[in-house]
């Protein structure tokens, strides 16, 4: 089955790995007015913003500190740089006469290492974003928006709930076709989110008639920009009365475009980013366990998960066919391309009943681990390990992972088959032996070929199945990705409300900020929140 990747992915294939940096966000406007992407200021690692220009993100409660990306991307000098292609795709006036644009350019000049630190993410993602922008006949400047929004960090997260490289708020993400559920968050999928973001920008351009206004509306909302245009009787962005964050949003994009257009004018060296794609798509016909895909394509599970930050759990989405993003080259063998056609054929040839190691079931009233172990032909230890259970208590209505029986055989066909020798003692029964070793009676019966109600003579030798389940590393989903968020308390906020918004504990929130739980929060008070961006 051929890989379905927009044709331009081969064209604009080099700029994808902006290293971690911190973007500074200007103050946010009312969340209801903000655009899904920019609402509440996106995540930005050291975003370029002058001190004279927009206020510091920390002062507005919308900054997010991103972890720096440490690994470097190999660069082959013979390959073509992405910068000439990006310059050729630019179509907007960069408004160099405007003070706000000059302020942002000056910040970039004073911080020449900013883009250099973004190089890995630029190499990883920018070629694809530029390619799709060009293929759709849109101004090349639009490809710079995710740099301003998130520093190209798929885990970028804002206090208002904006997420991903393009910083979509949930309502707009859903409106523009992105899926967000317990398995998958399309805002963190570079392919899906880029299509939705460009759709949204085109809609804003159709509505407002000018690209500068469309870019501003991406941050502040179409209705707000439209009202500002009516009040000013002008479509010139720089004459409009808009929230302070938006006033400096378009200038950031234009300043970055101006610097890329003529870096020699500003004594800034652009990082080496090749115009070559770093990834492609592997199409999956149905739900797949990530561990199985990892084994099939010989790509370490951690690397597969790193390329697919949109996946929130141990498998691809449950109901639909799906794609996985896979690198065109192995990390260990950067000069050896993956044979994508071969991998696609291997995936397609995998039988339906061989695509999952685990299924998720809902615990029913009366269920226990021993009952479920019997029902699904496994043992208690496997169930506890897969579900990270410390004790034997499970609750009705909660999901539980159970091993899949492949080809109608026992689960033990893909477990290790080591046994522990055991000599029957006085008072022993199958039930007591099974309980003592955390295995099911059924597995004990099968292993020793005895009847379920057979009386065991003292001294009889039994083999107790060892509790060695199939590998479980993927069961727990992606590792936690922590982001530091600076949040400004608003009227009506409480510790419980803020903790719930970010999925953290009240006690943690109090500890991070040295708060007295007996005292009320005050509007304008600044709090630090550490958010698990991968699972929030």
């Amino acid at each position: 089955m051929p890989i379905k990747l927009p044709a331009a992915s081969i064209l604009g294939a080099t700029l994808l790995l902006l290293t971690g940096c911190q973007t500074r966000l200007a103050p946010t406007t009312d969340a209801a007015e903000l655009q899904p992407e920019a609402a509440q200021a996106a995540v930005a690692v050291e975003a370029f913003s002058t001190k004279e220009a927009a206020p510091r993100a920390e002062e507005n409660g919308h900054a997010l500190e991103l972890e720096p990306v440490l690994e470097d991307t190999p660069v082959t000098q013979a390959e073509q740089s992405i910068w000439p292609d990006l310059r050729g795709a630019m179509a907007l006036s960069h408004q160099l006469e405007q003070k706000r644009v000059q302020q942002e350019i000056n910040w970039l000049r004073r911080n020449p290492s900013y883009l250099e630190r973004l190089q890995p993410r630029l190499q990883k993602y920018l070629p694809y974003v530029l390619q799709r922008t060009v293929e759709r006949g849109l101004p090349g400047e639009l490809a710079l928006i995710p740099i301003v929004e998130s520093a190209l960090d798929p885990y970028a997260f804002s206090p208002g709930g904006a997420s991903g490289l393009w910083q979509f708020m949930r309502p707009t993400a859903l409106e523009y076709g992105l899926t967000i559920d317990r398995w998958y968050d399309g805002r963190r999928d570079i392919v899906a989110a880029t299509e939705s973001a460009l759709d949204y920008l085109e809609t804003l351009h159709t509505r407002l008639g000018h690209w500068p206004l469309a870019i501003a509306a991406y941050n502040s909302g179409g209705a707000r920009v439209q009202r500002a245009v009516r009040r000013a009787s002008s479509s010139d962005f720089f004459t409009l009365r808009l929230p302070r964050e938006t006033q400096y949003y378009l200038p950031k994009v234009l300043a970055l475009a101006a610097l890329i257009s003529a870096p020699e004018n500003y004594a800034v060296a652009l990082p080496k980013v090749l115009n070559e794609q770093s990834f492609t798509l592997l199409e999956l016909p149905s739900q797949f366990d990530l561990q199985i895909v990892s084994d099939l394509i010989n790509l370490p599970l951690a690397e597969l998960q790193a390329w697919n930050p949109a996946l929130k759990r141990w498998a691809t989405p449950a109901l639909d066919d799906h794609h996985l993003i896979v690198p065109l080259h192995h990390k260990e063998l950067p000069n050896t391309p993956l044979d994508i056609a071969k991998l696609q054929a291997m995936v397609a040839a995998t039988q339906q009943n061989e695509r999952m190691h685990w299924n998720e079931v809902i615990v029913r009233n009366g269920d226990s681990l021993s009952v479920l172990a019997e029902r699904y032909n496994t043992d208690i230890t496997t169930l506890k390990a897969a579900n990270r259970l410390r004790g034997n208590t499970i609750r009705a209505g909660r999901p539980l992972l159970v091993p899949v029986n492949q080809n109608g055989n026992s689960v033990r066909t893909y477990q290790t088959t080591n046994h522990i020798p055991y000599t029957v003692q006085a008072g022993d029964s199958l039930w007591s032996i099974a309980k003592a070793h955390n295995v099911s009676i059924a597995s004990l019966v099968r292993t020793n070929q005895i009847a379920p109600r057979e009386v065991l003579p003292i001294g009889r030798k039994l083999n107790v199945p060892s509790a060695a389940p199939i590998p479980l590393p993927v069961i727990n989903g992606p590792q936690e990705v922590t982001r530091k968020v600076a949040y400004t308390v608003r009227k009506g906020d409480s510790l419980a409300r803020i903790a719930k918004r970010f999925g953290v504990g009240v006690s943690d929130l109090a500890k991070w900020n040295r708060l007295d739980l007996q005292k009320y929060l005050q509007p304008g008070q600044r709090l630090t929140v550490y958010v698990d961006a991968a699972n929030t």
Side-chain angles (χ1 to χ4, degrees):
M1 180 185 299
I3 310 293
K4 296 180 183 176
L5 187 65
S9 47
I10 300 172
L11 254 180
T14 292
L15 317 173
L16 266 169
L17 258 175
L18 280 172
T19 344
C21 37
Q22 291 176 319
T23 331
R24 295 179 42 224
L25 304 175
T28 323
T29 61
D30 186 355
E33 271 299 319
L34 289 182
Q35 246 187 344
E37 300 71 324
Q40 308 264 348
V43 188
V45 189
E46 212 174 82
F48 58 91
S49 223
T50 61
K51 292 181 181 177
E52 314 91 82
R56 290 180 179 275
E58 311 88 69
E59 298 172 358
N60 300 299
H62 298 290
L64 198 52
E65 282 188 16
L66 303 187
E67 298 296 325
V69 177
L70 300 178
E71 65 264 15
D72 290 327
T73 302
V75 176
T76 307
Q77 295 295 337
E79 301 293 341
Q80 183 182 359
S81 169
I82 194 172
W83 305 121
D85 292 331
L86 179 52
R87 292 179 194 121
M90 292 181 181
L92 305 182
S93 167
H94 298 158
Q95 302 286 323
L96 298 180
E97 72 282 2
Q98 294 293 333
K99 179 181 178 181
R100 278 174 272 168
V101 175
Q102 285 300 320
Q103 286 175 328
E104 299 297 340
I105 290 175
N106 288 337
W107 188 92
L108 288 167
R109 294 178 68 183
R110 292 196 306 271
N111 296 273
S113 63
Y114 169 72
L115 288 176
E116 193 62 46
R117 290 201 315 276
L118 291 182
Q119 191 275 337
R121 288 189 193 146
L122 284 167
Q123 186 62 66
K124 189 173 185 178
Y125 296 122
L126 186 57
Y128 180 78
V129 175
L130 177 61
Q131 168 197 307
R132 291 302 298 134
T133 303
V134 170
E135 286 180 340
R136 294 177 60 151
L138 303 176
E141 287 86 351
L142 302 187
L144 303 177
I145 288 176
I147 301 177
V148 173
E149 284 284 354
S150 67
L152 287 178
D153 179 5
Y155 291 109
F157 183 87
S158 82
S163 180
L165 291 92
W166 289 91
Q167 284 294 283
F168 269 106
M169 294 289 284
R170 177 182 289 265
T172 306
L174 297 175
E175 181 182 352
Y176 282 85
L178 292 177
T179 299
I180 303 173
D181 57 28
R182 57 201 297 265
W183 295 93
Y184 169 82
D185 189 337
R187 296 175 295 179
R188 300 202 299 253
D189 184 326
I190 179 63
V191 174
T194 296
E195 291 308 305
S196 293
L198 295 179
D199 287 345
Y200 185 41
L201 283 162
E202 283 196 283
T203 298
L204 291 170
H205 178 255
T206 300
R207 179 178 181 180
L208 298 166
H210 301 276
W211 280 114
L213 297 182
I215 294 172
Y218 192 86
N219 173 260
S220 190
R224 175 167 283 165
V225 172
Q226 220 165 21
R227 288 195 299 269
V229 169
R230 284 198 299 267
R231 284 195 301 266
S233 299
S234 171
S235 59
D236 180 357
F237 167 82
F238 291 95
T239 67
L240 303 182
R241 294 183 60 186
L242 291 165
R244 189 165 177 77
E245 178 188 338
T246 308
Q247 289 178 15
Y248 287 93
Y249 183 81
L250 175 65
K252 289 177 185 177
V253 176
L254 297 180
L256 186 54
L259 186 94
I260 291 171
S261 293
E264 65 281 359
N265 292 349
Y266 307 103
V268 172
L270 297 177
K272 294 175 181 177
V273 181
L274 303 182
N275 194 16
E276 66 179 22
Q277 197 63 248
S278 64
F279 66 84
T280 188
L281 300 185
L282 190 63
E283 300 293 342
L284 304 180
S286 66
Q287 187 178 34
F288 261 83
D289 188 315
L290 293 182
Q291 182 69 65
I292 291 176
V293 177
S294 170
D295 294 340
L296 270 178
I297 68 177
N298 194 29
L299 185 69
L301 177 61
E303 189 175 349
L304 182 63
Q305 289 177 312
W307 278 98
N308 292 274
L311 296 179
K312 300 164 73 173
R313 309 193 69 212
W314 48 275
T316 59
L319 299 178
D320 304 318
D321 54 356
H322 191 69
H323 66 253
L324 283 178
I325 294 172
V326 294
L328 286 170
H329 299 271
H330 275 296
K331 270 186 179 179
E332 295 78 9
L333 302 169
N335 297 321
T336 304
L338 293 178
D339 188 341
I340 299 300
K342 180 180 178 180
L343 300 183
Q344 189 69 68
M346 291 170 62
V347 166
T350 303
Q351 297 300 310
Q352 182 75 37
N353 61 357
E354 296 175 347
R355 294 173 182 176
M356 297 285 286
H357 277 154
W358 304 90
N359 275 338
E360 192 172 72
V361 300
I362 302 300
V363 177
R364 303 185 301 220
N365 287 327
D367 280 347
S368 65
L369 287 180
S370 60
V371 168
L372 291 170
E374 293 276 0
R375 184 183 302 158
Y376 293 101
N377 207 16
T378 185
D379 55 63
I380 293 172
T381 301
T382 295
L383 293 179
K384 291 176 68 173
N387 293 279
R388 303 183 71 179
L389 299 176
R390 294 183 179 179
N392 292 325
T393 302
I394 54 177
R395 294 183 181 180
R398 297 288 182 87
L400 195 78
L401 293 175
V402 297
V404 174
N405 284 330
Q406 297 181 0
N407 302 319
N409 296 325
S410 162
V411 171
R412 290 196 304 110
T413 58
Y414 58 99
Q415 291 180 317
T416 59
T417 55
N418 296 327
H419 302 114
I420 300 171
Y422 179 79
T423 302
V424 176
Q425 309 293 319
D428 275 347
S429 66
L430 286 175
W431 180 86
S432 65
I433 296 171
K435 183 178 180 182
H437 291 86
N438 264 341
V439 298
S440 67
I441 294 175
S443 62
L444 207 53
V445 167
R446 284 194 308 271
T447 302
N448 294 277
Q449 297 183 340
I450 55 180
R453 298 184 181 278
E454 184 173 331
V455 176
L456 301 176
I458 296 173
R460 178 166 180 173
K461 305 294 185 183
L462 297 179
N463 288 321
V464 180
S466 64
I470 58 177
L472 303 176
V474 73
I475 294 304
N476 301 323
Q479 294 182 347
E480 183 175 301
V481 178
T482 302
R483 293 293 182 260
K484 181 181 177 182
V485 179
Y487 179 77
T488 299
V489 176
R490 300 175 182 181
K491 186 177 180 180
D493 274 345
S494 66
L495 279 178
R497 184 175 180 179
I498 296 170
K500 183 178 180 180
R501 177 181 301 170
F502 292 106
V504 299
V506 171
S507 59
D508 289 330
L509 198 54
K511 181 176 66 176
W512 296 330
N513 295 280
R514 299 180 181 179
L515 298 175
D516 183 346
L517 293 175
Q518 304 303 315
K519 294 184 178 180
Y520 290 105
L521 297 176
Q522 300 299 318
Q525 186 175 348
R526 289 182 295 176
L527 301 179
T528 296
V529 187
Y530 293 94
V531 180
D532 176 7
N535 299 298
T536 298

